[in-house]
Amino acid sequence: MSKEIAMQDQKDCSVIKVKTSISRRWRLALTAISFTRALVASLSKKDLLDYVAIKVENPTFLDADPKALSDMLRGKNLESLKSQFGGVKGLAAILESDVKGGIGSTAEADLMRRKNVFGANEYQKPPAKNFLSFVLDALKDTVIMILLACAVISLGFGIKQDGWKDGWFDGGSIILAVFLVVAVSVVTNFKQSRSFQKLSAKSSDIKVEVVRDGRRQPLSIFDIVVGDVVCLKIGDQIPADGLFLEGHSLKVDESSMTGESDHVEINGDKNPFLMSGTKVTDGFGSMLVTSVGMNTAWGEMMSSISRDLDEETPLQARLKKLTSFIGYVGLSVAATVLVVMTVRYFTGHTTNEKGEREFYGGKTRFNDAMNAVVGIVTAAVSIVVVAIPEGLPLAVTLTLAFSMKRMMKDNAMVRKLSACETMGSATTICTDKTGTLTLNEMKVTEVWLGGGETMSYDQESTSNMSPIVQHLLREGVGLNTTGTVYKASFASVPEISGSPTEKAILSWAVFGLGLDIDEVMQKCETIQVEAFNSEKKRSGVLIRRNREKTTHSHWKGAAEMVLIMCSNYHDEDGNIKSMNDQKRRSIETVIQNMAAKSLRCIAFAHKKLEQENGQVSEKLEESGLTLLGLVGLKDPCRPGVREAVETCTAAGVNIKMITGDNKHTARAIAIECGVLKPDEDVESEAVVEGVQFRNYLPEERTAKVDRIRVMARSSPFDKLLMVQCLKQKGHVVAVTGDGTNDAPALKEADIGLSMGIQGTEVAKESSDIVILDDNFSSVVTVLRWGRCVYNNIQKFIQFQLTVNVAALVINFIASVSSGKVPLTAVQLLWVNLIMDTLAALALATEQPTNELMEKPPVGRTAPLITRVMWRNVIAHALFQVTVLLTLQFRGRSIFGVDEKVKNTIIFNTFVFCQVFNEFNARKLEKKNIFKGILKNKLFLAIIGITIVLQMVMVEFLKKFAQTVRLDWGQWAACIGIAALSWPIGWLVKCIPIPGNKA
């Protein structure tokens, strides 16, 4: 001890620094304090020291152990939270965060330090499929493997027979052609895969409300750091692991983590633990973020899951069946060609270019016979390549990828690929009112208080209001709200945040009633809160004022719902009067008058709970209330929504508005938006209430559902019931929704459309498409794109079927009759390249036109290949077969040329027939195939590229393509013959099709 005293004599201050874990730090601090007390007591007797100073540093977030935090939360270890971290408030202090104001410093350097210590709120995803994987997948195709095998054999025999200089042409040409086909296909698929991955990242970018530096602000889920205070409400997905700070009636659905469907109650006493990936199902509150990204259980789970946006859609499944059928036909033709050509060759019925017999039994060399057999097999396989419409799935992929990219620019984010094509078949759209048909920018425009007249709201209109009523309204608005009012300084303008309804009411109270929300909260204690829900359509709060024993119930909600709870009202002087039947009817008239002006009517009510038998009630009363007043909130219709509704109606799509507002407000808005005509009144059953709809007998509901235009005072169950009823009647139903309770209807619908701004994460997760601007006009845009996708795919099907039929018939007839196919393997592969990739790209990128919205929807059971398409396919295929067979059998005499020139002319004419047929495919029914062509620059570019490449093939790649150069006359003849498909197409479209409604 004397040695230690001597050491203390040499120093004025002893500083104990603790650099270890938090628990060890506090143990050392307690030891140091105890030691100091003993030391001071000892030194005071010897007068060796005047004072001893101990400096103990406060723990900082740099000392926090991310693993300890993660383990504590995953294990829901309440004991560890209290003993190791000092409870929620103690942990907030360690993380240098304020439970009310959040992180104090929002500087980039401070946020980066937090990310360095605790990690970023991002998940490690499985590595994306690389380019080589796509190449290997393409080479695994059976037909490609057979072609390559034939090419290698042909290459070997060719080099052996003719040497390296000339022997590699046949086999090398096939290898090069296969390489081109595979390369184009792989590059296209690789690019689309990258596009889908970007879309997946975009759809994962969730916005949450975070408090930083005392200010509530929206933030990307990826920007959240440990220490942040996050605001939670019904429908939110919890963005990270954390601890409950404050709130009321907060319940979460942990089924995504635990598999249990029960909703777990979150509170500060027994269960403050909130896990990322779970969803808020009731109440509201705030949480302190303690773990992010890979330190959460959700992060570990998500890192092993790769969201597959490249799923097979219903249309792709239908096309697979079509592809299989055509493939079987192609295989049959190829097998027949193989047998016929082999028999003809070995029986000596085939001749070479000089007209000499090719096979003599016992005299023909083995190499020559094998070369001939390889050539026959290659020709048969090439027929299979052309016959199997491999371009159909590619065309669908290209169309979907292109439309998804463009739809993102048009404020629609596709979450499920199938929605793109299904939307084109939609026959009915069930839409919300608030935020979709209207701007969702609420503003108090009318106020009714006591027995007075309804008055237009301005800041002076509250000057004559009774002080008692003013005080109760300030208290009711300030305490019974999920919104916030932030004021940086005394002179600054308050920033109000929350839902549009909450913002409007708070704005009225702050600027009209002089509400100071912080002052109101400080003067009162909140005992119980009932959060707003779509069933009761009201919210309540039970409070006790400071230094008072009595409690007060405050209610706010839909006017007619709150009015039912009221037995009294405040008159103009603030006196409480009993509400008789006459007064109740007059108030109901006020509500109806507001609703007729398309105002949302909100009522405020209050009840003071006195002591009974010395006990004060701590229950939120729902009866015997006193009405304080009514406010009318105006939410104007969106610009252009009426035109959008008219567009849908003209396209044969029914619009049904489903809203929680009362019948009068709903009817007024529906007429204003064009959903309802003024003469379609309540008696015509165009407007019903939810309770009325759900009480119909099933047969009655089915009979009346088509006539309903507006459903008011609806619950989520009513919305789901309507969707089910419409689907049973054969409708293809699209539904818009933004709330958690809309999730069942969004899932049940054929296409679920959630709102990107006001929509909860639960709604977005249940939907197929997210409307980023919450605008009904964007819903119509999605409908137009859906029809465009379906129409583009039909265009390509018509184009490809024409080529398939023509190629198969020409090769089959030519091989059976002469033992030779006019189109070689390389030439057929080149046609396949044009057909499967370039044409798919050209036709898949056609943009929506107004013509699409002039047709009725295709519905659920319409055939993919219509009668109109069959008419066009048969006509053009017949034309091509006739022309090319004429050239095959009479071409030499017509043009006065040899066999090689004739085959080149056939090949050239066949390719140009496809070029001209691409124009015909642009319009399935319209005679003017050039309308709007200048808008599609890509189509024109692809046509130009195809023509240039064809010229190179014929004129410069003679050995590769097995062609000879043509003179100007022959080129003109090829193009002129192929161009006849335009007038033929025009004439064919004059033929009426029975049952064609379009």
Side-chain angles (χ1 to χ4, degrees), residues 204-368:
S204 302
D205 189 5
I206 299 168
K207 294 291 182 183
V208 292
E209 286 211 318
V210 176
V211 180
R212 283 187 181 176
D213 201 15
R215 185 179 179 185
R216 194 165 166 174
Q217 53 191 293
L219 207 66
S220 168
I221 188 174
F222 301 126
D223 294 331
I224 287 176
V225 296
V226 169
D228 266 326
V229 172
V230 178
C231 303
L232 302 173
K233 62 182 184 298
I234 294 177
D236 284 348
Q237 179 174 306
I238 296 173
D241 286 357
L243 298 168
F244 174 80
L245 290 174
E246 59 181 9
H248 296 281
S249 309
L250 189 66
K251 290 184 179 180
V252 298
D253 177 7
E254 294 186 349
S255 58
S256 59
M257 297 299 298
T258 63
E260 300 294 331
S261 59
D262 294 337
H263 295 167
V264 180
E265 185 175 349
I266 304 296
N267 53 57
D269 300 327
K270 298 179 180 178
N271 183 26
F273 305 103
L274 291 157
M275 293 189 291
S276 64
T278 58
K279 296 178 177 67
V280 180
T281 58
D282 197 10
F284 59 91
S286 60
M287 66 173 276
L288 174 72
V289 175
T290 59
S291 298
V292 294
M294 295 304 296
N295 289 323
T296 66
W298 180 255
E300 285 188 5
M301 186 171 71
M302 289 301 291
S303 66
S304 62
I305 299 172
S306 177
R307 183 177 161 214
D308 185 17
L309 270 170
D310 199 12
E311 80 271 18
E312 186 178 80
T313 68
L315 184 56
Q316 285 174 320
R318 290 173 72 182
L319 287 176
K320 267 194 173 180
K321 292 181 180 178
L322 177 64
T323 302
S324 299
F325 174 74
I326 298 172
Y328 289 135
V329 174
L331 282 170
S332 302
V333 173
T336 305
V337 168
L338 178 65
V339 171
V340 170
M341 289 181 68
T342 304
V343 170
R344 288 182 66 93
Y345 175 77
F346 284 107
T347 56
H349 287 82
T350 57
T351 57
N352 57 24
E353 296 169 4
K354 299 176 183 179
E356 299 170 350
R357 183 175 171 180
E358 286 188 319
F359 182 80
Y360 289 93
K363 295 181 180 180
T364 303
R365 291 185 301 173
F366 176 77
N367 286 353
D368 294 339

Side-chain angles (χ1 to χ4, degrees), residues 853-889:
M853 302 302 284
E854 296 171 2
K855 302 177 182 179
V858 294
R860 194 181 297 278
T861 57
L864 186 59
I865 306 175
T866 63
R867 293 178 179 180
V868 170
M869 292 168 65
W870 279 121
R871 177 196 66 188
N872 298 340
V873 168
I874 292 168
H876 289 292
L878 192 61
F879 162 71
Q880 290 185 23
V881 168
T882 303
V883 167
L884 296 177
L885 287 179
T886 301
L887 292 176
Q888 169 69 9
F889 296 111

Side-chain angles (χ1 to χ4, degrees), residues 182 184 221 289 406 496 547 844 862 869 875:
V182 169
V184 173
I221 188 174
V289 175
R406 294 302 299 266
I496 299 171
R547 297 183 295 278
M869 292 168 65

Side-chain angles (χ1 to χ4, degrees), residues 434-739:
T434 305
T436 308
L437 297 175
T438 60
L439 284 169
N440 206 13
E441 295 176 0
M442 297 284 190
K443 184 180 180 182
V444 174
T445 58
E446 289 191 1
V447 180
W448 179 90
L449 297 168
E453 296 294 323
T454 304
M455 51 190 170
S456 297
Y457 165 66
D458 54 56
Q459 293 187 23
E460 286 74 30
S461 65
T462 56
S463 58
N464 298 324
M465 190 187 298
S466 162
I468 295 172
V469 175
Q470 278 200 45
H471 175 73
L472 290 172
L473 283 172
R474 282 195 294 267
E475 199 173 70
V477 173
L479 298 173
N480 187 13
T481 183
T482 56
T484 59
V485 180
Y486 171 75
K487 201 170 182 180
S489 63
F490 179 77
S492 62
V493 178
E495 292 181 17
I496 299 171
S497 60
S499 71
T501 303
E502 296 286 0
K503 285 170 70 175
I505 293 172
L506 280 172
S507 297
W508 168 66
V510 169
F511 298 111
L513 301 176
L515 168 67
D516 185 335
I517 196 167
D518 293 328
E519 182 184 349
V520 171
M521 288 182 172
Q522 288 169 6
K523 289 183 177 179
C524 300
E525 174 195 358
T526 301
I527 300 170
Q528 183 186 347
V529 173
E530 183 170 314
F532 180 90
N533 64 61
S534 57
E535 293 291 336
K536 292 187 174 182
K537 300 190 183 300
R538 61 178 186 259
S539 62
V541 61
L542 180 68
I543 59 112
R544 182 186 289 114
R545 294 169 186 161
N546 296 343
R547 297 183 295 278
E548 286 187 17
K549 291 185 178 179
T550 56
T551 56
H552 299 261
S553 290
H554 281 282
W555 286 92
K556 173 186 73 181
E560 61 268 37
M561 299 294 186
V562 174
L563 184 61
I564 294 170
M565 302 160 66
C566 295
S567 304
N568 310 293
Y569 70 97
H570 279 279
D571 65 9
E572 292 172 303
D573 299 322
N575 301 315
I576 298 177
K577 291 190 175 181
S578 178
M579 189 183 296
N580 56 31
D581 291 341
Q582 183 180 353
K583 186 63 179 179
R584 188 176 295 275
R585 281 195 295 272
S586 70
I587 295 172
E588 287 173 349
T589 302
V590 172
I591 295 170
Q592 289 177 15
N593 290 339
M594 284 189 180
K597 300 173 188 174
S598 69
L599 302 181
R600 174 178 286 183
C601 197
I602 304 294
F604 298 91
H606 163 261
K607 185 176 184 180
K608 184 178 180 180
L609 307 173
E610 302 287 354
Q611 290 188 13
E612 293 182 9
N613 302 323
Q615 296 291 324
V616 179
S617 174
E618 294 196 354
K619 181 185 176 185
L620 194 54
E621 290 290 333
E622 298 187 23
S623 61
L625 304 178
T626 301
L627 184 68
L628 295 175
L630 309 169
V631 293
L633 282 70
K634 179 69 174 177
D635 186 11
C637 284
R638 286 184 179 273
V641 73
R642 191 178 185 88
E643 292 79 4
V645 170
E646 289 172 354
T647 300
C648 286
T649 305
V653 179
N654 298 315
I655 306 297
K656 299 184 186 298
M657 189 180 88
I658 303 175
T659 177
D661 283 340
N662 69 45
K663 187 183 289 187
H664 304 287
T665 305
R667 186 174 185 274
I669 288 286
I671 291 172
E672 193 176 342
C673 293
V675 174
L676 195 68
K677 295 176 183 176
D679 56 348
E680 289 182 299
D681 55 17
V682 178
E683 281 68 34
S684 70
E685 296 181 325
V687 183
V688 298
E689 287 192 339
V691 63
Q692 184 182 352
F693 182 75
R694 81 177 77 110
N695 289 333
Y696 284 147
L697 293 172
E699 299 80 12
E700 189 180 10
R701 192 183 301 121
T702 304
K704 292 181 177 181
V705 71
D706 283 331
R707 293 200 296 272
I708 296 171
R709 292 283 179 274
V710 178
M711 185 158 68
R713 282 286 173 245
S714 66
S715 70
F717 173 75
D718 300 327
K719 197 171 188 176
L720 175 63
L721 198 61
M722 176 167 274
V723 173
Q724 291 171 337
C725 189
L726 287 166
K727 287 181 71 176
Q728 285 170 7
K729 290 200 74 174
H731 288 277
V732 178
V733 186
V735 168
T736 70
D738 55 10

Side-chain angles (χ1 to χ4, degrees), residues 787-807:
R787 292 191 171 192
C788 181
V789 167
Y790 197 87
N791 191 245
N792 284 350
I793 291 167
Q794 284 187 315
K795 292 174 186 177
F796 183 72
I797 291 172
Q798 176 182 299
F799 171 79
Q800 188 158 51
L801 281 177
T802 305
V803 185
N804 290 141
V805 172

Side-chain angles (χ1 to χ4, degrees), residues 713-927:
R713 282 286 173 245
S714 66
S715 70
F717 173 75
D718 300 327
K719 197 171 188 176
L720 175 63
L721 198 61
M722 176 167 274
V723 173
Q724 291 171 337
C725 189
L726 287 166
K727 287 181 71 176
Q728 285 170 7
K729 290 200 74 174
H731 288 277
V732 178
V733 186
V735 168
T736 70
D738 55 10
T740 303
N741 291 320
D742 289 325
L746 289 168
K747 284 184 176 179
E748 180 70 23
D750 296 288
I751 312 102
L753 302 134
S754 63
M755 302 296 110
I757 299 173
Q758 288 299 315
T760 64
E761 290 309 317
V762 175
K764 293 176 187 176
E765 195 68 28
S766 304
S767 66
D768 306 305
I769 297 174
V770 179
I771 304 299
L772 299 176
D773 62 351
D774 290 16
N775 193 342
F776 186 76
S777 296
S778 297
V779 176
V780 179
T781 301
V782 172
L783 178 64
R784 185 182 280 109
W785 270 110
R787 292 191 171 192
C788 181
V789 167
Y790 197 87
N791 191 245
N792 284 350
I793 291 167
Q794 284 187 315
K795 292 174 186 177
F796 183 72
I797 291 172
Q798 176 182 299
F799 171 79
Q800 188 158 51
L801 281 177
T802 305
V803 185
N804 290 141
V805 172
L808 283 175
V809 172
I810 292 162
N811 277 294
F812 177 75
I813 293 176
S815 63
V816 170
S817 60
S818 65
K820 295 282 188 182
V821 287
L823 299 172
T824 66
V826 172
Q827 290 169 357
L828 285 172
L829 285 169
W830 168 236
V831 172
N832 188 65
L833 182 66
I834 296 173
M835 196 171 58
D836 282 359
T837 52
L838 297 179
L841 192 60
L843 294 172
T845 54
E846 288 280 346
Q847 296 188 30
T849 62
N850 292 329
E851 294 172 2
L852 294 170
M853 302 302 284
E854 296 171 2
K855 302 177 182 179
V858 294
R860 194 181 297 278
T861 57
L864 186 59
I865 306 175
T866 63
R867 293 178 179 180
V868 170
M869 292 168 65
W870 279 121
R871 177 196 66 188
N872 298 340
V873 168
I874 292 168
H876 289 292
L878 192 61
F879 162 71
Q880 290 185 23
V881 168
T882 303
V883 167
L884 296 177
L885 287 179
T886 301
L887 292 176
Q888 169 69 9
F889 296 111
R890 295 286 182 265
R892 290 180 66 172
S893 58
I894 292 171
F895 289 98
V897 293
D898 60 19
E899 188 73 15
K900 281 192 174 182
V901 176
K902 181 204 74 174
N903 287 340
T904 303
I905 291 173
I906 291 173
F907 168 57
N908 207 29
T909 304
F910 186 63
V911 170
F912 274 100
C913 279
Q914 312 325 316
V915 171
F916 284 99
N917 200 29
E918 280 185 59
F919 287 88
N920 288 321
R922 286 189 72 247
K923 304 291 180 183
L924 299 179
E925 297 171 65
K926 300 291 181 182
K927 295 174 184 177

